[in-house]
Amino acid sequence: MEKTVIGILAHVDAGKTTLSEGLLYLAGKIRKLGRVDHGDAFLDSFAMEKERGITIFSKQAQFSVGEQEFILLDTPGHVDFSAEMERTLQVLDYAILVISGSDGIQGHTDTLWKLLKRYQIPVFIFINKMDLDGTEPDELLTECREHLDEACIPFFEDMTTEEETCEKLALCDEKLLELYMKNGGLKPEELVPFISRRKIFPCFFGSALKMQGISELLNSLHQYCHVERNQTDFGARVYKITRDNQGSRLTYLKVMSGVLKVKMPVGEEKIDQIRIYAGGKYETVDQAEAGSICAVTGLGQSFPGQRMGIEQENGILPVLEPVLQYQVILSPEDDVHKILQQLRLLEEEYPELYIEWNEQLREIHAKLMGEVQIDILKALMLERFGVAIAFGPGAIVYKETIADMVEGIGHFEPLRHYAEVHLLLEPAERGTGLQFATDCSEDILDRNWQRLIVTHLEEKTHLGVLTGSPITDMKITLITGKAHTKHTEGGDFRQATYRAIRQGLKKAHSILLEPWYQFRIEVPEEMIGRAMSDVTRMNGSFDAPETIGGMVALTGQAPVSTMENYQQELLTYSRGKGKLFCTLKGYEPCHNSEEVELAIGYDSEADLENPTGSVFCAHGAGFLVPWNQVEEYMHLEGWKPPVQFPEKDFDISLNEEALSFKYNNVKSGADSGYTATSFAEDKELEAIFARTFGPVKRRLPGSSMESGLGYERKENHTESAHMQERETVEGGKNKPSKLQEQEYLLVDGYNIIFAWEELSELAKNNLDAARMRLMDILCNYQGYRQCILILVFDAYKVKGNAGEIIDYHNIHVVFTKEAETADMYIEKVTHEIARKHHVTVATSDGTEQVIIMGQGAYRMSAGDLKVEIDQVNQEIRQEYLEQHKTSRNYLFSGLDAETAALMEDVRLGNKEL
């Protein structure tokens, strides 16, 4: 019998559990329909779930339709238990996404859709509560197509006989269109592979409470779900760890291929028992076939995300993680270490719970998803262990990363111990976490020692040096190391490895990260100004507003810390009409890092659990060497960065964290390469700063301090200011020194092009030509006005575009990176420089004008800029004529009178020369 695993996902109170009850009832699995509000739902079997009326733990049930067996996984809908939901996604074959017809698509619905896309799970959509007044199928279907996917198609009985429906299906994929054109229609079996590949998303309308539309959904699941499985080689995925009432450890897994049998060895352990659960009850079986979801006993080392058998590669890293941290408050008579062990047991079972022990404060800290989870954790501790605990106020969970590549060196050599480790720390892309690798020859360090070092890298949560927060988004590579044939023990390399990381972090430029939301705000048109002002106040950014009917949608991103309680504020000022959709975007640079660092007050040198220095030995005794002196004592040669050879005249390399400029083949008496590394806060802006006032000059072999880069220094930029700027850069500080106020003009390129008739006509035939023409016009203008001119073009729709900044003659031209509009870039730059400099923004975008005025900048419309440029051209012409104004110079005007008379006679023919 073919087995198919289907998960039901939804926003809280969308009717997910009620739909599960309806499916089980129609399939004959249960005899009576239960209800969440009555506390008798088949799948909500825990007391806390019945009491609160929400699903807290994912549970399973089986039902059959014909020769096909379905395994139904009911997942939590509340956002606080999203991690419980996410870990079930890795074992799903298909998913049913339930949407409330009365509420439409909510913020958590959008999060679920993105997760389903990330895990590539085919989706059936059930729009529930259609029996309520005000629910319109057409409007809801349009909302699904706008927010989710254009391929959301309503499914109903005999739909393939309707020409209009077949045409909509055919437009979902080219191969479907070919089948439709060839056969004049589509057959139901032809849709199966396209649903499986997420090319079509079947939609159903109904009311789970009144059993409307459920039979159509059930029949479609039977008709359109199909999974091919490997029946020979065993493979499984672990997605959950729990304990039963007797305390037995249960490992929930899905058999992906082959057969799982009792007493089968899995690694160094054996399966004792196989249980098939249905709600709160289970039955034991001797074996589980491919496609089965079961719980097994006998595995003490298993963990969620583990792959077994031929499923060897680790699963996808979870997206959802806690962003709030709370102190666990205990009564004076409680045993702290005992309670810590009990919380560790719960941590193993609940993925949304992270427990940490702060040795310095002697406190237990818990990272949680939200307030509801706190109440559940209190109840679990009281029920399981008889302990009453409390929690302190919540705080944001920060992380740290680095902006540059450094070598970290750790040495541990007290008497009769020895180990030295060299690690290369490199910044990685946002959201990639920590990656570990080795690039060390076995001739230098034995393979077993290398493996041990990697194990020590992976076994611990390494803390940063700014606030003591966990580090992330880095690649750490073992590049060399040294052991002693007699004195080295495994613990020596642990100490050396930990110290190498900390020493590297002290040397690097560290960046404090905080969680950011990606949001979508929908408000009535008259309230969009308030919403935009609020986002700016919350240190967020947003795209151009989009009008949908009588509502305006604003999408963007903002820090979690500033947006945490905005939902209630939005509902208040919009009188309940506004909607807020928030999903966790990930970690980005902290908007108020200095303030946070000062408030936390972390001292990396005083953290004895995470030392930054190394231990060396001399005269039979060990001594401590501070981190900034380790290179003077190390026993191995340090890492040297690769040499860059000049290849071309001018090259710009841009990434998310560091912007560096390489000037090669400088013709200043010697060929030399100069590198000016940007500051840390706003890379693109600081790059323009460097190019405006000249790059940092460093003495290199074969070059002189007077060697320049061809940049004309501004008259108001004195030599002392230039030296101060250079010292600031080389000192590694984040902000440039204060210079005399400059005049900036920021131009929204495409806005100007399509506002000027001349350029607009040119753009219809050749957009590149229009762009170059505007650049030439602005070069001429800048040459006269002598302002710092930044021309910005949108490139946000170019997939994978990392952004680019070029110098075109005497102006700076910016092509924004992917997902960043010209408006966003201009707002960001204006926010940074308008406080210190005179900034004017040229654009006819009304919304943009309002925002830049709020930042303290001046506005100039496209028409005003045209008038200004025409006036400048007229002034240039007048000055030119004045400079070249001379009297007429005739041929004979410089001759004496006698010679002039002679030449006049010759001209008249009276005489010959």
Side-chain angles (χ1 to χ4, degrees), residues 23-209:
L23 289 171
L24 294 173
Y25 179 78
L26 283 182
K29 182 66 178 179
I30 58 176
R31 297 180 180 180
K32 179 185 175 183
L33 283 170
R35 288 183 55 162
V36 175
D37 52 346
H38 292 171
D40 59 355
F42 179 73
L43 291 173
D44 285 348
S45 56
F46 286 83
M48 284 180 288
E49 294 177 317
K50 294 178 179 180
E51 179 184 342
R52 293 177 173 271
I54 60 173
T55 302
I56 299 174
F57 312 105
S58 61
K59 288 170 291 296
Q60 72 183 77
Q62 295 80 30
F63 64 89
S64 299
V65 181
E67 294 298 318
Q68 192 169 9
E69 179 181 338
F70 290 95
I71 301 168
L72 191 66
L73 291 181
D74 187 17
T75 64
H78 199 285
V79 66
D80 280 12
F81 306 103
S82 298
E84 174 82 12
M85 172 275 304
E86 185 182 3
R87 65 180 176 180
T88 66
L89 297 182
Q90 61 181 310
V91 299
L92 298 184
D93 298 319
Y94 291 85
I96 301 172
L97 180 63
V98 184
I99 298 173
S100 171
S102 58
D103 299 328
I105 295 176
Q106 300 294 296
H108 191 50
T109 311
D110 187 52
T111 301
L112 294 173
W113 186 259
K114 291 177 180 177
L115 287 171
L116 290 167
K117 182 179 180 180
R118 174 182 171 87
Y119 287 88
Q120 286 297 294
I121 299 172
V123 183
F124 291 79
I125 299 173
F126 186 83
I127 302 177
N128 194 23
K129 302 185 180 182
M130 294 304 295
D131 56 319
L132 300 180
D133 294 336
T135 53
E136 294 292 337
D138 291 340
E139 292 180 4
L140 289 165
L141 186 62
T142 301
E143 187 176 1
C144 287
R145 287 174 174 168
E146 289 177 350
H147 288 272
L148 304 182
D149 198 286
E150 283 288 339
C152 293
I153 307 294
F155 271 47
F156 48 87
E157 196 172 346
D158 298 328
M159 66 170 189
T160 52
T161 61
E162 286 197 6
E163 184 176 350
E164 183 180 354
T165 304
C166 287
E167 288 178 356
K168 291 179 180 178
L169 289 168
L171 293 175
C172 294
D173 189 83
E174 290 184 4
K175 292 183 179 179
L176 266 177
L177 183 60
E178 291 176 6
L179 288 172
Y180 177 72
M181 297 297 292
K182 179 181 178 181
N183 303 323
L186 294 171
K187 299 177 182 179
E189 58 269 20
E190 293 175 336
L191 303 180
V192 173
F194 295 96
I195 294 174
S196 178
R197 296 201 300 267
R198 292 177 51 88
K199 300 296 183 181
I200 300 173
F201 301 99
C203 295
F204 303 86
F205 296 85
S207 170
L209 188 62

Side-chain angles (χ1 to χ4, degrees), residues 521-582:
I521 300 174
E522 294 182 3
V523 292
E525 290 182 350
E526 63 272 15
M527 298 177 182
I528 187 60
R530 166 68 186 271
M532 295 166 65
S533 175
D534 286 347
V535 173
T536 304
R537 172 176 54 84
M538 294 184 292
N539 294 282
S541 61
F542 51 84
D543 300 331
E546 178 185 1
T547 303
I548 305 174
M551 304 288 283
V552 179
L554 195 67
T555 58
Q557 56 189 26
V560 170
S561 59
T562 61
M563 207 172 187
E564 191 175 357
N565 300 314
Y566 187 64
Q567 173 82 36
Q568 189 59 44
E569 183 180 344
L570 174 66
L571 292 173
T572 301
Y573 77 73
S574 67
R575 300 178 183 88
K577 297 179 182 179
K579 290 184 178 181
L580 175 63
F581 306 85
C582 282

Side-chain angles (χ1 to χ4, degrees), residues 458-474:
E458 295 174 342
E459 70 187 4
K460 180 185 177 182
T461 299
H462 302 284
L463 304 183
V465 295
L466 297 179
T467 61
S469 302
I471 60 173
T472 186
D473 299 338
M474 293 166 53

